[in-house]
Amino acid sequence: MTGFASRAARAAFIAGLPKAELHLHIEGSLEPEMMFALAKRNGISLAFDSVDAIRAAYDFAKLQDFLDIYYQGMAVLLTEQDFFDLTSAYLNRAAADGVRHVEIFFDPQGHTARGVPMANVVGGIARALAEAQERGITSRLIMCFLRHLSEAAAETTLDEALPYLSLIHGVGLDSSEVGHPPAKFARVFARARSLGLKIVAHAGEEGPPDYVWQALDVLQVDRIDHGNRALEDDALVQRIVSDGLTLTVCPLSNLKLCVVNDLAGHPLRRMLQAGLKATVNSDDPAYFGGYVNANFVAVADALDLTRDEIIMLARNSFIGSFLPLAEQAAHLGAIDSFAATY
Ligand code: HPA
Ligand code: ZN
């Protein structure tokens, strides 16, 4: 156990370490208890009759199994207050995990398709983020396009978001990866870039290395979400390293969605050793069994991560964020101060 007397000591170090979370779908933070409460508040009936029955259904063999249940779950979200409550609950959990900065994804098409106005979605999330800022947690909001839908649908969504661009920092690409390559969305991402938005995309979670190349060359991403399968292509790894791009890696998600067979085989250490700026994130914590610290602890235990590796992961989370450099530097200083006392 390099650098720690015990697993408990390593977990305590992780818990106290300042960190940013860069890969979090706000709808994926909807815990079954809140799903029930919102269903009741909104007069919606659920396909499950108890919290335990919901949790029992969270048994996935692949990404699509999860997505089917994720889109079903988010149907309880209707009002601005619903989105505020959802986001506040996540921010409280994140604060308890030592998260100082969050970059949150949301899936507007999962809501507008059900007749929920964009104003309710962005308004509720942004109100909770503004309140968290008062408590010292900074944030960025990233609007994702659902890749199983058409590029025309993404264009419409970008049009609908135009009144809210002061609240939205970037655009991303999520949902069913295989069969929906990044290049399908070349034009809408080019428009988003011309509007000054940051660009990220899920790539190489289930999809091949070629999808990661497309994210780089066609979408011109500022960051890659997941990126696990990039490791299958040495030239691609070299390209990501030389571009200095961050990967937002999600260990418990990878385990639950069978991207890895077990955490002992997780590529996180290999990514760091290859010079990739990997980070640790929770993706959809209500569905995958843990928030950011649980992800850190699980992967640290499985790979026996060292103190230096854990510090590197926390540093990468700020370096890979969309915060201005001066704010990144302040957070890196806080990591150094924390590590020095430990
Ligand atoms: N992958 C793709 N789409 C998603 C995910 C994910 O892990 N979570 C929510 N939407
Ligand atoms: Zn994701």
Side-chain angles (χ1 to χ4, degrees):
M1 188 105 28
T2 321
F4 299 103
S6 64
R7 285 188 168 203
R10 180 166 54 204
F13 182 77
I14 287 168
L17 199 54
K19 56 187 76 75
E21 179 152 54
L22 305 180
H23 187 153
L24 179 282
H25 302 263
I26 198 64
E27 297 90 345
S29 72
L30 177 60
E31 293 285 349
E33 289 79 3
M34 184 177 282
M35 202 186 287
F36 256 95
L38 294 183
K40 189 164 173 218
R41 183 157 99 186
N42 291 327
I44 293 170
S45 59
L46 289 175
F48 303 98
D49 60 12
S50 70
V51 163
D52 287 345
I54 297 182
R55 287 222 162 81
Y58 294 174
D59 182 24
F60 315 118
K62 56 184 188 306
L63 173 60
Q64 193 61 49
D65 296 345
F66 155 69
L67 290 169
D68 292 343
I69 231 161
Y70 165 80
Y71 294 122
Q72 220 178 298
M74 70 173 75
V76 301
L77 299 165
L78 295 183
T79 66
E80 193 264 5
Q81 188 68 39
D82 296 341
F83 287 92
F84 174 86
D85 290 345
L86 174 72
T87 308
S88 292
Y90 162 69
L91 290 164
N92 288 338
R93 299 255 197 172
D97 274 6
V99 172
R100 307 287 177 88
H101 175 72
V102 296
E103 304 201 347
I104 292 184
F105 296 134
F106 71 111
D107 282 328
Q109 290 160 297
H111 312 300
T112 54
R114 299 181 289 110
V116 176
M118 184 71 92
N120 290 12
V121 182
V122 179
I125 298 171
R127 182 159 65 90
L129 294 177
E131 201 180 88
Q133 172 110 26
E134 306 281 304
R135 292 183 284 136
I137 300 184
T138 54
S139 59
R140 298 287 184 267
L141 191 52
I142 300 174
M143 178 175 81
C144 287
F145 301 120
L146 299 182
R147 68 202 303 159
H148 68 274
L149 301 178
S150 67
E151 185 178 43
E155 293 278 14
T156 301
T157 301
L158 185 53
D159 290 339
E160 289 169 353
L162 292 177
Y164 306 100
L165 283 194
S166 63
L167 301 170
I168 298 171
H169 204 76
V171 291
L173 186 64
D174 65 1
S175 194
S176 321
E177 186 179 9
V178 174
H180 303 286
K184 175 179 164 187
F185 296 92
R187 288 142 296 257
V188 70
F189 274 86
R191 181 156 73 100
R193 218 176 326 109
S194 74
L195 289 166
L197 292 160
K198 293 285 187 186
I199 305 294
V200 299
H202 285 53
E205 181 184 19
E206 287 187 344
D210 180 52
Y211 286 21
V212 182
W213 282 111
Q214 289 182 27
L216 297 171
D217 290 335
V218 181
L219 303 189
Q220 299 177 34
V221 290
D222 296 291
R223 198 160 71 204
I224 296 163
D225 296 313
H226 295 294
N228 299 48
R229 292 196 59 193
L231 291 183
E232 296 169 24
D233 181 337
D234 289 341
L236 177 56
V237 169
Q238 283 323 305
R239 166 70 184 278
I240 299 168
V241 170
S242 68
D243 284 4
L245 291 182
T246 295
L247 304 187
T248 64
V249 181
C250 306
L252 289 175
S253 165
N254 291 162
L255 184 65
K256 279 293 264 185
L257 300 183
C258 304
V259 168
V260 296
N261 294 326
D262 57 30
L263 283 181
H266 195 278
L268 185 65
R269 171 173 282 132
R270 279 187 282 135
M271 289 169 165
L272 292 177
Q273 287 175 342
L276 293 164
K277 290 199 177 86
T279 60
V280 172
N281 307 272
S282 68
D283 206 359
D284 300 281
Y287 291 88
F288 299 148
Y291 288 77
V292 68
N293 282 357
N295 275 269
F296 261 99
V297 168
V299 76
D301 284 348
L303 300 179
D304 196 17
L305 292 183
T306 67
R307 189 176 187 279
D308 286 350
E309 286 172 325
I310 292 166
I311 291 171
M312 171 79 74
L313 290 163
R315 290 180 63 84
N316 287 349
S317 73
F318 291 109
I319 293 167
S321 76
F322 296 138
L323 284 171
L325 288 177
E327 283 182 56
Q328 292 183 20
H331 288 295
L332 297 178
I335 290 175
D336 291 343
S337 305
F338 173 78
T341 65
Y342 223 85

